[in-house]
Amino acid sequence: MTGKLSRREFLGAASGATAAAVMVPGMSHSIEAPAVHIRQSSKNVAVASGNGLRAVAKAGELMAQGVDTLDAAIEGVKIQELDPNDMSVGYGGLPNEHGVVQLDASCMHGPTKRAGAVGALEGIKTPSVVAKYVLLYTNHIMLVGEGAKKFALSYGFKEEDLMTEQSRERWLRWRANRGERDDWINVERDEQMVPRPTGTINCNVVNSSGDISSVTTTSGLAWKIPGRVGDSPIIGAGQYTDNDVGAAGSTGRGESNIMVCGAFLTVEGMRRGLSPTDAALETLRRVVAASEPRLLDERGQPTFGLSFYAVSKAGEFGAATIRPSRYAVFDGVEASHQDTAYLYERDA
Ligand code: GLY
């Protein structure tokens, strides 16, 4: 033996979980080479909820320029936060039952093992960036409500009306359609307003050096009880990153996700060797098992929607939903929509 490892021996060591012993000529004992447990991505990959096609494209573009993974992910989701036509996130997001937009967001930065979050934040268009400021500049992880707003204002964020003409119109119609005998008159009756939309954007990224970050941002459940905070700002539910393993995040019914700490559970699945898709599916099965009967139909299937998106340190990616859907991916070359894995077919 020459003391040099052939390419095949090197790859064997890199993909295995055991340490390779390298004999060095002239030395009587062996030197333990470091064990490499998980292959590292050689490309920049971003995965997001279906509304995140522009987010993954932006994150991919920025990572190619060498921008840090958390900054890349946040610049991606900011597009959606600032888009008045996305009524599930940031500016233009649907409000709570009092007509006030309350935003939730959280993020994690794998390399520095830091996290930040804001809950029920009012008047600031980009809660993901405020969450990043909590991560960067405080010894805390989550700020909520008035405190979160004052924190944002102290850094120069502008307080703005987050309602658009469109979101206000939807809220006014919802308010007028809650009860047959309510006191609202001269408003359009529209039973379609009664279902409660949830929407959110989650984005998880890994770069070609194997560094990982994640972010989730939302206006939460439309027409929620004021003060309700969903899964998005909860570290381990709305998103989670472990720089040795991967990242995962969620959109959909937050309460059901909080019950299983779904983003953390998905990352733990990948740690045990599951692919991102299989880890996300396994988490969804746990969600179903943890659901109270009132949330399941007569077949035992959830009456709500929930999705998980994941990326591994090796650059593998996947997503799973309760019923068939699509998610957004930047695979190192281009951004596209792909089909999710799912638990149940849609009813015909
Ligand atoms: N997943 C978003 C929410 O429930 O607020």
Side-chain angles (χ1 to χ4, degrees):
M1 191 169 179
T2 62
K4 272 191 188 167
L5 285 174
S6 71
R7 180 171 157 75
R8 182 186 295 182
E9 286 164 332
F10 173 75
L11 289 176
S15 60
T18 50
V22 182
M23 293 300 297
V24 177
M27 290 185 75
S28 59
H29 60 279
S30 64
I31 299 168
E32 290 276 296
V36 180
H37 293 274
I38 294 178
R39 216 165 21 97
Q40 183 175 301
S41 179
S42 57
K43 54 191 180 173
N44 301 311
V45 174
V47 61
S49 39
N51 55 352
L53 194 61
R54 291 180 295 175
V56 294
K58 184 75 181 175
E61 177 194 319
L62 291 175
M63 286 190 286
Q65 293 166 14
V67 171
D68 172 80
T69 49
L70 182 60
D71 291 333
I74 287 180
E75 286 306 310
V77 300
K78 246 173 75 182
I79 298 171
Q80 229 55 29
E81 289 181 328
L82 294 171
D83 182 350
N85 295 317
D86 187 328
M87 291 201 278
S88 70
V89 176
Y91 177 50
L94 292 174
N96 65 22
E97 67 179 23
H98 292 172
V100 177
V101 182
Q102 291 189 321
L103 303 174
D104 299 335
S106 66
C107 59
M108 284 185 82
H109 185 237
T112 55
K113 304 178 199 272
R114 295 182 84 162
V118 288
L121 173 66
E122 296 177 13
I124 309 290
K125 283 181 173 172
T126 54
S128 68
V129 186
V130 185
K132 186 177 88 172
Y133 276 49
V134 175
L135 174 155
L136 283 175
Y137 300 122
T138 78
N139 188 31
H140 307 317
I141 287 189
M142 186 187 288
L143 299 179
V144 302
E146 198 55 28
K149 188 190 340 190
K150 287 198 170 124
F151 170 81
L153 296 177
S154 76
Y155 280 96
F157 286 79
K158 262 201 310 186
E159 185 169 1
E160 294 174 86
D161 180 2
L162 301 186
M163 289 279 259
T164 57
E165 214 175 293
Q166 205 184 359
S167 61
R168 185 176 303 282
E169 150 78 9
R170 296 249 334 232
W171 172 66
L172 289 172
R173 276 175 38 212
W174 168 78
R175 191 176 67 173
N177 279 279
R178 277 189 299 176
E180 294 262 304
R181 296 191 202 173
D182 62 37
D183 294 325
W184 301 104
I185 59 169
N186 288 334
V187 276
E188 200 182 323
R189 292 281 158 192
D190 179 355
E191 292 309 317
Q192 290 307 313
M193 295 312 296
V194 176
R196 311 175 72 187
T198 40
T200 297
I201 181 167
N202 161 245
C203 184
N204 312 298
V205 305
V206 58
N207 69 12
S208 57
S209 306
D211 282 333
I212 306 168
S213 289
S214 52
V215 59
T216 298
T217 173
T218 190
S219 52
L221 187 62
W223 336 131
K224 61 195 170 188
I225 297 172
R228 178 263 189 189
V229 167
D231 58 330
S232 303
I234 310 291
I235 307 299
Q239 54 75 46
Y240 191 75
T241 289
D242 182 322
N243 213 49
D244 291 334
V245 178
S250 181
T251 62
R253 185 174 188 273
E255 285 76 2
S256 296
N257 179 18
I258 292 170
M259 290 293 287
V260 303
C261 305
F264 178 76
L265 193 60
T266 303
V267 171
E268 289 306 291
M270 291 191 285
R271 190 193 304 281
R272 287 186 285 109
L274 294 179
S275 70
T277 304
D278 286 342
L281 276 171
E282 187 181 79
T283 298
L284 283 175
R285 288 189 202 102
R286 282 287 284 278
V287 168
V288 177
S291 293
E292 330 166 36
R294 73 182 172 90
L295 299 170
L296 304 174
D297 66 16
E298 60 291 349
R299 298 165 298 183
Q301 297 181 7
T303 52
F304 56 86
L306 189 62
S307 311
F308 289 93
Y309 317 90
V311 67
S312 74
K313 190 169 182 75
E316 303 151 325
F317 53 83
T321 44
I322 289 177
R323 296 205 158 70
S325 189
R326 309 200 83 196
Y327 69 115
V329 174
F330 177 80
D331 62 5
V333 179
E334 59 178 5
S336 66
H337 274 125
Q338 302 205 8
D339 293 333
T340 62
Y342 56 90
L343 289 185
Y344 308 108
E345 293 290 349
R346 281 193 190 284
D347 291 331

